Amino acid sequence: MADTPRDQWKSKLGFILAASGSAIGLGNIVFFAANAYKFGAGAFYVPYLVALFLLGIPVMIMELGIGHRTQRAYPEAMYQLGGIKGEWIGWFGLLNASVITMYYITILGWVLGMWIGAFGSLWESQAVPAFGLPEGALSNSMSYFFGMISKYETVAYVVIVWIMNAVIVWSGTKSIERAVKIFVPVMWLFMIILIFRGITLPDGPQGILLLFTPDFEVMKDFEVWQGAFSQIFFTLSLGFGIMATYASYLPKKSDQTSNALTISFMNCAFEYIAGLAVFAVLFAFAIVPRASTLSMTFFVLPEGIGSFPVGVQLFGVMFFTLLLTAGLTSSVSLVEALGAGVIDKFGMDRKKVVLIVSAIGTVGSVMFALPMVIDPSLDGNGTLGLTLLDFFDHWAFSYGLLICGLLECLLIGWVLGPEKLRESINPHSRIKLGPLFDWMIKLVIPAVILVILGFSIASEMSKGGLYGSTVETGTMQNLHVLVLAGWLVFTILGSMALTAAGGFRRNGSSQGGSDA
Ligand code: TRP
């Protein structure tokens, strides 16, 4: 097939906005703070900083380097660097990330629903018929949320968010650049306004102090480290195949070490300042959240905003607009990465690929929006969709991203050789990578990830169930086994099938040809 000229970012700024927009998402605004709160605030940020320097920045440099060197989307890039094995890892990473994207977009659908509610009914108490709950049984935002997800209207929200994604990636870098130039500044602006609101609340600053008081006792707990390491992959969009794809649209003469530092720095700055706002609100209203990240998003913070003395609607709408814009610039990056992988491999037309990916993605996201109530007492997740989301998240987020990162390091470390990557990065970079980089990729990072994964599996087994801290019984356990099987089949067999399918170079035209 003929190689069409490759898409390129119009400007460096466009790339930085797109890549940092991918990194900054729900993870930064609510999941980070929720994790920090779960592990006792100040106990989290030290492991998190260690994770940033130990894994985050080197893997970011590596992923950008992979795309920059090959100028191909992730699977083909990995194929060029490490053969068939590499391509398989590429598809594995993308498919695992697709699972995350499907439920991430479901969550964005709920955000859209909450956004609509924020104009009015979110702040009123209501009955939740699907759970047989009378008015006043739950807090306002909780009753709104469970009322919403137990109705089929959520499916419409999910479809709308998928359409937004398709529109944004429709013309590749051109339309992505157009969107991020609006969305990324909007989300910084709204975040900053919310921080000012947070820290000027009475007692707000005390909450912030809590965030920065380290707790060395809790740091002995390995779960904090697992939490921090998975969070760093998720928040920096690593192990998704995204950064390689975005960097593949950069000109050869671009500086990947400084790009990696800029993106990581912007991401973590956003995460910390979002943490300030969240902790100020939590402390000011003495809210004790349940540990889950979603409850932080949908009940805890809305409850805080609902208690503001003035401007409840305004700040509520602003908060959900912030979540929606930040979330969209993240989800589109994977739709683009997956689409680009398919386009590069099969030489298909972009618009057709966007439609197919979005159609399949919509079906997946709708699955996580299934409104059937399976947990009427609300001990866990309430609806079937939310339960599936929780189970898939457990595998795709806590294991999948780290597994992809591990395989990627092993491939680059031992098949290609990290010095080769350095050779293509260094000539264009102000900060030169030394041999330390090689040993990070070859040994240190794989060893750290293996230890974390080993401990996770061991704790899974020792609790006698499949699922970390809560032991499930009966139907829930069976459902969870099904989900695990589904995830394994989708990622492992799916990537084998995609790798085996015909397409690009090895059967034809340009095997070994120029890739510039
Ligand atoms: N980094 C994003 C966050 O912190 C997560 C993310 C990036 C993501 N790319 C994605 C989620 C693609 C889903 C799909 O929230």
Side-chain angles (χ1 to χ4, degrees):
M1 80 207 69
D3 265 352
T4 40
R6 191 159 180 81
D7 242 0
Q8 246 188 28
W9 300 108
K10 266 212 289 303
S11 64
K12 178 170 175 196
L13 177 70
F15 164 75
I16 293 290
L17 288 176
S20 67
S22 167
I24 300 172
L26 302 178
N28 301 62
I29 303 165
V30 274
F31 302 170
F32 169 76
N35 272 318
Y37 206 91
K38 173 167 143 194
F39 294 119
F44 194 65
Y45 84 86
V46 176
Y48 177 82
L49 273 184
V50 172
L52 171 67
F53 286 100
L54 200 62
L55 304 188
I57 292 175
V59 174
M60 177 69 83
I61 296 174
M62 175 175 75
E63 291 203 357
L64 293 178
I66 290 170
H68 167 253
R69 182 183 167 97
T70 57
Q71 308 221 300
R72 280 285 168 261
Y74 193 49
E76 194 179 339
M78 294 286 278
Y79 173 70
Q80 285 190 10
L81 301 181
I84 290 284
K85 284 194 285 301
E87 186 183 345
W88 178 81
I89 297 169
W91 289 115
F92 172 84
L94 282 179
L95 290 181
N96 180 64
S98 306
V99 173
I100 296 181
T101 308
M102 287 175 193
Y103 64 72
Y104 196 82
I105 288 181
T106 310
I107 297 172
L108 290 178
W110 294 333
V111 167
L112 178 62
M114 298 293 277
W115 180 84
I116 295 170
F119 286 93
S121 52
L122 173 58
W123 317 110
E124 292 150 17
S125 146
Q126 49 197 301
V128 193
F131 291 92
L133 292 170
E135 201 183 302
L138 299 174
S139 71
N140 296 352
S141 46
M142 245 175 144
S143 63
Y144 182 91
F145 179 76
F146 283 108
M148 174 178 75
I149 71 165
S150 54
K151 285 200 236 66
Y152 272 100
E153 66 180 53
T154 0
V155 172
Y157 300 144
V158 167
V159 172
I160 294 172
V161 176
W162 261 107
I163 293 173
M164 292 175 175
N165 275 279
V167 169
I168 297 174
V169 298
W170 192 247
S171 315
T173 53
K174 205 157 82 214
S175 47
I176 295 175
E177 235 169 313
R178 226 180 289 140
V180 294
K181 278 193 174 142
I182 303 168
F183 286 4
V184 174
V186 164
M187 86 203 186
W188 278 94
L189 177 70
F190 281 15
M191 190 72 243
I192 289 167
I193 296 175
L194 288 169
I195 289 161
F196 273 108
R197 177 62 280 205
I199 55 180
T200 51
L201 288 167
D203 289 337
Q206 265 167 288
I208 294 171
L209 226 56
L210 200 65
L211 180 62
F212 290 107
T213 314
D215 176 347
F216 293 99
E217 264 315 295
V218 183
M219 272 174 235
K220 291 188 196 137
D221 185 356
F222 123 90
E223 263 186 56
V224 184
W225 293 90
Q226 188 209 3
F229 288 4
S230 310
Q231 169 72 9
I232 208 74
F233 266 75
F234 182 76
T235 187
L236 290 173
S237 299
L238 300 175
F240 285 74
I242 289 173
M243 289 302 165
T245 306
Y246 270 13
S248 78
Y249 302 135
L250 283 169
K252 271 277 167 191
K253 269 211 211 117
S254 48
D255 179 340
Q256 299 315 318
T257 43
S258 69
N259 282 341
L261 290 173
T262 310
I263 298 165
S264 310
F265 176 75
M266 286 172 78
N267 179 73
C268 294
F270 199 97
E271 204 145 62
Y272 274 131
I273 63 169
L276 299 184
V278 172
F279 271 77
V281 170
L282 293 180
F283 202 85
F285 299 107
I287 302 174
V288 183
R290 296 198 308 178
S292 117
T293 48
L294 287 183
S295 50
M296 182 71 102
T297 317
F298 292 117
F299 334 131
V300 177
L301 289 173
E303 238 170 81
I305 294 172
S307 328
F308 283 2
V310 284
V312 167
Q313 286 190 10
L314 178 73
F315 287 112
V317 170
M318 213 183 255
F319 174 65
F320 287 108
T321 310
L322 165 68
L323 291 182
L324 196 59
T325 47
L328 274 172
T329 54
S330 297
S331 63
V332 292
S333 63
L334 190 276
V335 179
E336 174 60 29
L338 181 62
V342 174
I343 293 169
D344 276 0
K345 169 135 190 170
F346 299 104
M348 281 164 71
D349 174 51
R350 161 171 286 274
K351 313 235 143 65
K352 213 187 284 166
V353 172
V354 172
L355 287 177
I356 295 172
V357 166
S358 307
I360 298 174
T362 305
V363 173
S365 296
V366 166
M367 174 178 84
F368 295 116
L370 290 174
M372 283 72 97
V373 171
I374 59 166
D375 171 26
S377 59
L378 266 178
D379 289 332
N381 294 308
T383 63
L384 177 58
L386 185 48
T387 307
L388 290 172
L389 187 159
D390 209 19
F391 291 169
F392 271 103
D393 176 66
H394 182 65
W395 299 105
F397 174 87
S398 306
Y399 288 87
L401 294 178
L402 288 174
I403 293 173
C404 180
L406 172 68
L407 296 176
E408 198 178 56
C409 286
L410 293 177
L411 189 92
I412 299 298
W414 299 96
V415 178
L416 176 76
E419 66 287 348
K420 298 252 179 51
L421 213 51
R422 276 199 290 135
E423 279 160 20
S424 58
I425 294 174
N426 277 345
H428 311 291
S429 298
R430 220 156 20 97
I431 303 168
K432 311 284 181 211
L433 299 171
L436 174 66
F437 177 76
D438 302 358
W439 290 107
M440 297 290 293
I441 301 296
K442 279 174 114 124
L443 280 181
V444 179
I445 298 174
V448 170
I449 296 180
L450 274 174
V451 169
I452 292 288
L453 288 175
F455 269 108
S456 304
I457 293 168
S459 91
E460 203 100 43
M461 312 254 250
S462 74
K463 287 187 178 133
L466 264 182
Y467 191 27
S469 52
T470 52
V471 177
E472 295 149 6
T473 46
T475 332
M476 283 296 177
Q477 182 75 20
N478 293 339
L479 185 62
H480 199 156
V481 172
L482 265 178
V483 165
L484 173 59
W487 174 70
L488 289 171
V489 167
F490 184 74
T491 53
I492 297 181
L493 296 186
S495 48
M496 284 165 73
L498 280 161
T499 307
F504 65 76
R505 16 208 88 207
R506 69 178 158 282
N507 328 315
S509 51
S510 52
Q511 164 78 51
S514 82
D515 50 50

